[in-house]
Amino acid sequence: MTKAPPEVPANYYLLSDETWALIVEDYANGAMAKEVAAKWRVGPNSVYRHASAAGLTKRECGDERARAHAEAVTQAAWARDDPPGPATTGPTLTALFAPPPEEDPDAGDPGALARAAILASGRAMKGRLWAEAKALAGLAESYARLGDRMVGEFESDRPSPQDAAALAYVLERLEAEDREAERRGEIEREAGA
């Protein structure tokens, strides 16, 4: 949060067109009208009025300047061999979907990733970074569940929990029907005897 500029009364001097061009350029580059007004000792409404007259309001030129700035940041990152962050497109995102490298075979192992996330969560808790620790614990839990699911895929003879529950229900119903049939058979034998 920036510190509010001190309230400086506006002057009533007649400023040249060159000075107003500098003032409007400051405003168009992203400074707030109140900050520009305090810097140049003019009224904020005068800044708005001159910016509108020059066609350099933030609404009219903000998108163009933001795109130019983003492109400059990306070019600077590429120039220093530091690929841009995850919000940009480039080789960084394509490398995420490459097969696991030979030097790090655990990169695709959910169990190893879960252990790493648990370790990082513990370090975050020791550092009293509660939000990070909670996020890492959730990540570890997700990796653990993914690991359990992958183990289930490789163990085809082990039924899924839903199949096991359905099988248990069917067996229970068959046992109940057998007991009922035995009870009926006893009743019929007693009646026949």
Side-chain angles (χ1 to χ4, degrees):
M1 182 174 229
T2 61
K3 186 175 179 182
E7 293 295 325
V8 177
N11 66 24
Y12 297 100
Y13 305 122
L14 184 61
L15 299 176
S16 69
D17 290 338
E18 293 83 24
T19 304
W20 275 113
L22 293 172
I23 293 170
V24 169
E25 188 64 25
D26 278 353
Y27 174 72
N29 281 332
M32 293 179 8
K34 195 171 184 179
E35 293 172 350
V36 174
K39 176 181 174 183
W40 291 93
R41 292 194 65 194
V42 295
N45 287 336
S46 296
V47 174
Y48 292 134
R49 188 177 68 246
H50 283 273
S52 293
L56 292 175
T57 62
K58 290 183 183 177
R59 180 173 295 173
E60 293 167 350
C61 65
D63 189 48
E64 176 186 328
R65 289 179 186 260
R67 288 175 188 250
H69 177 72
E71 181 63 28
V73 168
T74 303
Q75 293 300 325
W78 284 112
R80 64 177 183 269
D81 293 333
D82 181 20
T88 60
T89 57
T92 305
L93 292 179
T94 56
L96 292 177
F97 296 101
E102 292 179 9
E103 65 270 2
D104 188 14
D106 289 339
D109 180 24
L113 294 173
R115 288 188 294 277
I118 290 170
L119 181 63
S121 177
R123 289 178 180 155
M125 287 186 70
K126 286 184 179 180
R128 295 179 176 254
L129 302 170
W130 307 119
E132 289 82 358
K134 182 178 179 182
L136 288 166
L139 181 65
E141 183 179 352
S142 297
Y143 278 131
R145 275 187 269 145
L146 182 61
D148 290 344
R149 188 178 309 154
M150 289 179 71
V151 166
E153 289 175 5
F154 294 120
E155 296 178 359
S156 59
D157 58 343
R158 188 174 116 194
S160 70
Q162 293 86 1
D163 292 341
L167 183 60
Y169 175 76
V170 168
L171 289 175
E172 182 180 320
R173 293 294 299 163
L174 289 173
E175 288 176 3
E177 288 177 8
D178 286 345
R179 285 193 300 268
E180 182 65 28
E182 285 179 16
R183 192 174 60 83
R184 274 194 235 143
E186 290 175 7
I187 292 174
E188 289 175 6
R189 275 181 267 170
E190 289 176 4

